Amino acid sequence: MSVDRARSPGERADAPLAAAIGAARWVRSATAGDGAGRHWLANPDPGGRSALAPAPASLYAGAAGIVLFFLELAAATGDEGYLEDARAGVRYLASAWRGVAGVGFHHGLSGIAVALCEAGWVLGDGTAEEAAAAVLERVARAARPMSPDQQAPGWTGDPALRGDGGVVLALLHGAAMLGLPHLEDLAAEAAQRAARLAVPGHRFGDCPGLPRDAVTPGFVAGTSGTAFVLARLYGATGERCFLEAARRGAGFVRAVSVVTGGHVAVPHHLPQGRGLFYLGFCSGAAGVARMFCELYRVAGDPADLDWAERLAAGIVASGVPARRVPGLWDTACQCCGVAGLVELFAGLWAATGRPAYLDFAVRLGEHLAARSRAAGDGGLRWYQAYRRSRPGEVSADTGYMAGAAGIGAALLHLEAALRRAPERRRMILLPDNPFPAYPLPTRPA
């Protein structure tokens, strides 16, 4: 890929599409299951070992996320074969969800429900919608009063996206897509506990690999993600308590951030990690920027968009992707790698219309395509050190948040932005994404 403006938008879009097709070929090589349904091995390499614990149905690393990728690829290419891949994955999910214990968004039932909702919208045969409704009803039944106040239902006691916050997003998504308003009521009721916290999402410890007295301001496990959920609830319900709580969370993030000129960086954890600044989606600037963009979307304060743009400026100033930094090590994936940055910069272009954001997204996509490895039959895979603390542990995975399906999805979103043909397809953006469905920016540069 190149940022060469002499080429037509269609020509510039062909390269990320080709890389996404290569990702799909490799994912297909990992197919498992039978005529009753299909899932995909996390790592199909001979003797290969996934970076993650087995979760064959999950959104993060299993069939739910891969179904979303195939749905988008079918729309981008017009190839009905990808729809059949998605249908087979839906058949698997429609049965496999019953054996999933956790309710979470990335690793449990809530993420599976979101994928089934999206599949139902595209496939339209009723199978996916029926399964999605059943999954969400089970999630709803699993809610229980949470200590110590016993005043609001919940599931995990954790207000962050990795816990109850992610479940709330899935309930809102299901309520809108399936026409089930009682799910929105439950989401709002469950979020009241987080909304009453002095700093929503501010909690100690309980993150693998961190000291027990650490506080995490990031997106998936910290304050930013919780504030995002509360801002989303304000947009859905109009209840001011959610906006006020989201602003308290944003205020905490601002207070602990490091500001250098027009650049902002957010520490990975406090107080021990004040000098470690992740750049990615899960715990870094790309995720924190989503929270500020959601606040801007629902409340319209330009200061929130300005803060998101300062976070983006900090990413650009770091020298990535050409330069490896402690906050973006040898990673390509959506969760903590370059694909998550593609989503941020393409999304910021859609939100602002500024060409510089799309140009940087193209540069990131170019880097992703260049670091792929051929896997036979035109397939492409991405090797990475998923865990920063284990640089020698390298693997190539198939899933959405940590592997080729999510990288392929990010490249498809870049291709859509470059091609700028909104009539071609409906994009699939997860509920934790605040950006407008591109390719058309919402305002001129």
Side-chain angles (χ1 to χ4, degrees):
M1 284 185 288
S2 170
V3 190
D4 181 6
R5 293 181 179 275
R7 295 187 299 154
S8 70
E11 289 173 322
R12 295 175 71 201
D14 286 342
L17 178 59
I21 291 171
R25 287 176 177 153
W26 185 64
V27 172
R28 278 176 163 172
S29 75
T31 298
D34 53 31
R38 186 179 306 166
H39 64 283
W40 295 267
L41 302 176
N43 188 326
D45 286 351
R49 180 172 176 267
S50 170
L52 304 163
S58 75
L59 176 66
Y60 197 96
I66 292 173
V67 163
L68 295 179
F69 172 49
F70 280 127
L71 290 171
E72 289 215 75
L73 192 54
T77 62
D79 186 338
E80 292 284 327
Y82 297 125
L83 281 184
E84 180 48 41
D85 289 310
R87 286 191 185 94
V90 166
R91 289 196 297 272
Y92 169 78
L93 291 173
S95 172
W97 71 265
R98 301 178 189 280
V100 176
V103 298
F105 179 65
H106 286 116
H107 300 284
L109 291 168
S110 294
I112 293 171
V114 167
L116 287 168
C117 284
E118 295 289 348
W121 190 275
V122 175
L123 300 176
D125 63 4
T127 301
E129 295 99 320
E130 182 178 342
V135 175
L136 289 171
E137 292 297 347
R138 177 171 148 188
V139 171
R141 290 194 301 272
R144 64 189 190 280
M146 301 303 297
S147 59
D149 53 36
Q150 300 287 312
Q151 294 181 26
W155 296 267
T156 68
D158 184 347
L161 271 175
R162 65 172 183 170
D164 287 6
V167 179
V168 166
L169 285 185
L171 291 172
L172 289 175
H173 195 73
M177 294 198 75
L178 302 174
L180 299 173
H182 69 284
L183 297 179
E184 180 178 311
D185 294 340
L186 175 59
E189 190 180 357
Q192 289 289 342
R193 182 168 174 268
R196 289 196 295 269
L197 296 173
V199 178
H202 179 115
R203 74 189 256 117
F204 292 104
D206 198 24
C207 283
L210 295 185
R212 289 203 60 80
D213 62 345
V215 176
T216 52
F219 198 65
V220 172
T223 309
S224 296
T226 308
F228 176 99
V229 172
L230 292 165
R232 177 62 56 89
L233 273 162
Y234 169 69
T237 67
E239 295 185 27
R240 294 287 302 181
C241 66
F242 294 131
L243 178 61
E244 291 165 0
R247 290 224 172 276
R248 293 198 303 275
F252 170 75
V253 173
R254 282 191 172 100
V256 302
S257 295
V258 175
V259 181
T260 307
H263 306 158
V264 170
V266 181
H268 180 264
H269 61 281
L270 300 163
Q272 304 89 345
R274 287 189 182 276
L276 176 60
F277 305 104
Y278 274 29
L279 302 185
F281 159 83
C282 60
S283 302
V288 176
R290 290 190 180 204
M291 180 263 290
F292 284 107
C293 285
E294 181 69 7
L295 273 170
Y296 175 68
R297 187 185 72 84
V298 300
D301 186 343
D304 292 318
L305 179 60
D306 176 70
W307 202 266
E309 294 193 90
R310 289 184 182 203
L311 286 159
I315 294 172
V316 175
S318 73
V320 299
R323 177 172 173 250
R324 284 187 189 174
V325 296
L328 190 77
W329 56 103
D330 186 17
T331 45
C333 63
Q334 286 262 2
C335 182
C336 49
V338 176
L341 301 189
V342 171
E343 299 281 19
L344 171 66
F345 283 90
L348 281 172
W349 169 77
T352 68
R354 303 192 208 288
Y357 290 135
L358 185 56
D359 288 345
F360 193 68
V362 170
R363 192 184 312 165
L364 293 164
E366 184 177 45
H367 172 84
L368 274 178
R371 69 171 289 171
S372 64
R373 295 271 297 275
D377 298 325
L380 296 176
R381 56 192 166 182
W382 283 262
Y383 284 96
Q384 61 180 2
Y386 174 73
R387 291 180 173 84
R388 183 183 61 84
S389 59
R390 303 181 195 172
E393 185 180 282
V394 177
S395 65
D397 286 80
T398 59
Y400 197 93
M401 294 304 298
I407 293 170
L411 291 169
L412 288 177
H413 296 162
L414 176 59
E415 178 264 341
L418 290 168
R419 208 174 293 278
R420 306 189 194 188
E423 73 281 356
R424 291 179 65 242
R425 66 185 189 265
R426 174 179 176 270
M427 290 183 63
I428 296 175
L429 301 179
L430 292 177
D432 58 13
N433 189 318
F435 300 114
Y438 31 104
L440 287 184
T442 58
R443 60 176 178 160

